[in-house]
Amino acid sequence: MSVLKQSAAVLALGVVLSACGGGGGNGGGGAGAIDPATEPSAVMEAILIKVDGRNAILRDGDPPAPTNAGGEPVLRAASDVIAVPSGGDASLSLDFETSAAVEAVFAKVVGADRFAEVLLASQTQSLGTKTMEQLVLDLAVPSNIGAGRFCVEISGRDAQALVSNTETVCFDVDDSTIKALQGTWDFACNPASDGSESFEGSWTFDGTDVLVTESVWPNDACLGSPENTYNEQLTVAVGNQVQAADGESANEFDIRNLSENDRFFTLIRVEGGGFQLALAPAGSGGSAETRANSFASSVDFTRRPESVSSARACFNPVLWQEGTEVVQTVRYEGRNDGDFGGTPGELEFSEEFTETRITDGEVTFDGRTAIQIRSLGTQDGGQGDSVDEFTYFQVDFARPSFALVGDENRDPSTGSIIDSETLSPAALLAPFDLAEGESVTQTIVIEENDVANNENETNTVIATTTYIGRETVQIDGRSIDTCRFDTNLTDGDGDGLADGEDAEDPFVTHYSVESGLEVLFYELEPDNGVRTDQVEVLAATINGVTVDD
């Protein structure tokens, strides 16, 4: 059984999924997003820095060191800590006391392997008495940066090549607003202010990208056939949380209509299953004017319900939270595949055991941030010796989906690694945003390291996963509503897969609606269609609460 199949079977022993609705694209936060606390180089690559409207250039290494010889500029940053929303931006005033014009500003995320350099407009050099030169540093945080803090070291160089002191400013990222908006939202019929027409449609958020679908009627009540239906592409920047004119809080938004090359400012307030978008008067300017207008005129959006065929209902966010414990009773069966005689599908062995799996939260594995799932005393593959198993996943809460980064088996008595596997890129085992019948295909390099026997092996596979749709399965007399995914593996480099074949049996996974547990896994023998290596969950508790699917 290949590592992908083993990992899918492992999931059937207790890994659970998560749900937040919404797209992927620019992120929208989640465990699959960049962690500002542990991935400084990724943050440095992702953020956009400008000084006085001029873009930064990324360079390798460290910025020039402070001169510390006297006469160099003295920098004072206006703030030590700045709150910034994921998908938004922040501004920072920089005061340079300098005898010569500042010609460059440097900014480096603490711990990153690159830095930003902003070259400023040529200025007439002023020597002699020090004067104050004020610059503004703008920092945009894309929505694929999750919640947390990163810090930036800032310095400057004047026209005499003297480098200032370094100021460190930290940015606290809040991704709650952009995460809450992920997905598709519908708005009902709204008349134009002059009553000449009406419109309704939807907004679909994919990170900070928004697809608008809108229909327009030549009356004030969306009656009859619309005279026009069109799509527009927006990009949004999340601003600060402010108090609107009605006394309630909301977030400022800077919205650019890419389809019409237009820009407007508004307030958005997310509440429960909906959000309000304040309509500003035509020609209104920035956030101050928008805030004054508030929600006197607004469009109300409601989240679009999931269809009965959607896989999103099989994604449960609670179960990826640190400390979550899943206890399951599992039945593992091996059946004859018919390749070497005997009766295809005939039961060769069956065993039941109880397993506890614990979500340990985010760690670094193979240089990547991943959620660690720990299972102690696992029967290896349902058989064999007891091992402590650690499996690592990247989870996209906005998309939603999860991908396998790798796993380790450790000796329970010593904690030493017996064997491990890493996958590059992470294998997208359960893309819950697929429509019924849609597929995703990846080429994945699997590195297997048998530490005990000092053996290593690298294989390349092509994995195609298809969302088949909703399916009811029977397990021990229980009818369980599930989301079914089929995965096919083929050789990706021509040297055969781990078992020496050019292709492997497809496998099927069923995730339970509501609880998100993978309740059923099995392989399908292509020649005769019989199930082999089947894993079923007979009973389960999540944080002590019995799962009643």
Side-chain angles (χ1 to χ4, degrees):
M1 190 185 294
S2 74
V3 62
L4 290 185
K5 290 181 179 178
Q6 288 174 337
S7 298
V10 161
L11 286 173
L13 307 184
V15 175
V16 288
L17 315 175
S18 33
C20 275
N26 291 330
I34 297 171
D35 182 353
T38 62
E39 299 180 89
S41 293
V43 172
M44 187 76 251
E45 297 284 342
I47 60 178
L48 175 64
I49 293 176
K50 294 183 178 183
V51 176
D52 278 15
R54 290 179 170 263
N55 289 327
I57 300 171
L58 286 182
R59 303 193 183 281
D60 294 335
D62 297 317
T67 303
N68 291 330
E72 65 273 359
V74 176
L75 168 63
R76 297 181 182 86
S79 302
D80 295 327
V81 179
I82 298 177
V84 57
S86 181
D89 51 51
S91 294
L92 173 68
S93 293
L94 304 176
D95 291 333
F96 286 93
E97 188 178 358
T98 181
S99 299
V102 177
E103 67 171 14
V105 172
F106 309 110
K108 178 181 179 179
V109 174
V110 175
D113 53 14
R114 305 184 78 187
F115 71 96
E117 178 186 55
V118 183
L119 299 176
L120 302 176
S122 299
Q123 301 180 48
T124 302
Q125 187 174 304
S126 58
L127 300 174
T129 305
K130 284 194 173 186
T131 59
M132 192 66 69
E133 183 174 349
Q134 186 176 78
L135 302 173
V136 176
L137 183 148
D138 294 310
L139 187 149
V141 177
S143 61
N144 64 334
I145 294 182
R149 169 177 288 192
F150 66 90
C151 298
V152 179
E153 297 172 334
I154 304 169
S155 58
R157 183 182 63 216
D158 68 11
Q160 297 299 302
L162 300 177
V163 180
S164 75
N165 60 299
T166 299
E167 288 273 82
T168 300
V169 179
C170 295
F171 295 84
D172 288 335
V173 182
D174 178 4
D175 64 356
S176 59
T177 299
I178 196 64
K179 281 175 66 175
L181 285 169
Q182 298 306 293
T184 299
W185 305 78
D186 296 313
F187 60 92
C189 186
N190 278 265
S193 57
D194 60 1
S196 62
E197 61 182 14
S198 55
F199 53 92
E200 69 178 26
S202 66
W203 283 24
T204 298
F205 283 79
D206 182 6
T208 51
D209 294 332
V210 182
L211 175 65
V212 176
T213 299
E214 192 166 294
S215 296
V216 180
W217 283 261
N219 55 66
D220 64 358
C222 302
L223 297 175
S225 299
E227 65 178 358
N228 188 21
T229 297
Y230 59 91
N231 293 326
E232 290 182 331
Q233 189 67 50
L234 313 180
T235 181
V236 302
V238 186
N240 294 323
Q241 187 175 80
V242 297
Q243 186 179 55
D246 60 5
E248 301 295 329
S249 63
N251 275 89
E252 298 175 326
F253 272 74
D254 178 355
I255 300 180
R256 296 179 184 270
N257 187 327
L258 304 181
S259 302
E260 297 184 359
N261 194 26
D262 193 13
R263 181 182 185 184
F264 63 97
F265 297 88
T266 187
L267 297 181
I268 288 181
R269 174 182 293 150
V270 183
E271 293 180 326
F275 75 86
Q276 280 184 304
L277 182 145
L279 294 177
S284 65
S287 58
E289 292 89 341
T290 303
R291 186 161 60 253
N293 186 56
S294 190
F295 293 92
S297 178
S298 64
V299 176
D300 295 328
F301 291 76
T302 57
R303 185 181 290 281
R304 180 177 297 177
E306 300 293 350
S307 71
V308 294
S309 64
S310 170
R312 294 179 185 272
C314 294
F315 210 69
N316 179 5
V318 174
L319 300 170
W320 284 111
Q321 292 177 0
E322 184 174 350
T324 292
E325 181 180 272
V326 177
V327 180
Q328 295 192 134
T329 301
V330 177
R331 178 165 59 217
Y332 180 65
E333 295 181 345
R335 296 182 178 273
N336 189 336
D337 60 13
D339 288 344
F340 303 99
T343 303
E346 181 180 9
L347 183 66
E348 294 181 334
F349 67 85
S350 177
E351 63 175 300
E352 295 182 11
F353 53 93
T354 299
E355 183 184 60
T356 299
R357 299 179 67 85
I358 300 169
T359 304
D360 286 330
E362 289 190 344
V363 299
T364 299
F365 176 78
D366 189 42
R368 292 171 280 179
T369 299
I371 291 180
Q372 176 176 285
I373 303 294
R374 172 170 46 105
S375 178
L376 303 182
T378 301
Q379 298 299 311
D380 189 8
Q383 305 177 84
D385 296 332
S386 175
V387 297
D388 289 348
E389 186 174 62
F390 295 77
T391 314
Y392 302 90
F393 299 92
Q394 291 179 335
V395 182
D396 188 335
F397 287 85
R399 187 175 175 178
S401 63
F402 77 87
L404 172 69
V405 180
D407 59 48
E408 295 175 338
N409 287 327
R410 304 182 190 177
D411 187 310
S413 59
T414 65
S416 59
I417 297 175
I418 301 170
D419 55 59
S420 65
E421 290 113 351
T422 60
L423 290 83
S424 300
L428 191 59
L429 293 179
F432 289 88
D433 62 332
L434 293 182
E436 189 173 342
E438 285 187 334
S439 301
V440 61
T441 298
Q442 289 181 283
T443 299
I444 302 164
V445 177
I446 303 173
E447 296 183 5
E448 301 181 51
N449 181 17
D450 185 344
V451 178
N453 297 308
N454 193 28
E455 295 177 353
N456 299 294
E457 185 176 5
T458 300
N459 289 285
T460 300
V461 300
I462 300 172
T464 298
T465 297
T466 303
Y467 174 50
I468 302 300
R470 294 286 188 88
E471 188 171 305
T472 300
V473 299
Q474 302 292 324
I475 300 178
D476 269 11
R478 292 177 300 141
S479 295
I480 303 175
D481 189 16
T482 70
C483 303
R484 172 176 168 170
F485 289 86
D486 287 14
T487 300
N488 287 276
L489 302 177
T490 56
D491 185 20
D493 55 13
D495 61 359
L497 296 178
D499 63 357
E501 300 176 355
D502 289 333
E504 290 205 356
D505 295 348
F507 61 88
V508 177
T509 49
H510 289 267
Y511 302 95
S512 171
V513 174
E514 302 288 343
S515 73
L517 292 171
E518 185 185 341
V519 293
L520 178 63
F521 164 89
Y522 54 86
E523 292 187 37
L524 284 174
E525 176 61 31
D527 295 335
N528 50 41
V530 302
R531 295 185 184 184
T532 61
D533 291 314
Q534 178 166 293
V535 182
E536 298 173 297
V537 173
L538 306 179
T541 62
I542 299 171
N543 292 329
V545 179
T546 299
V547 174
D548 185 19
D549 289 311

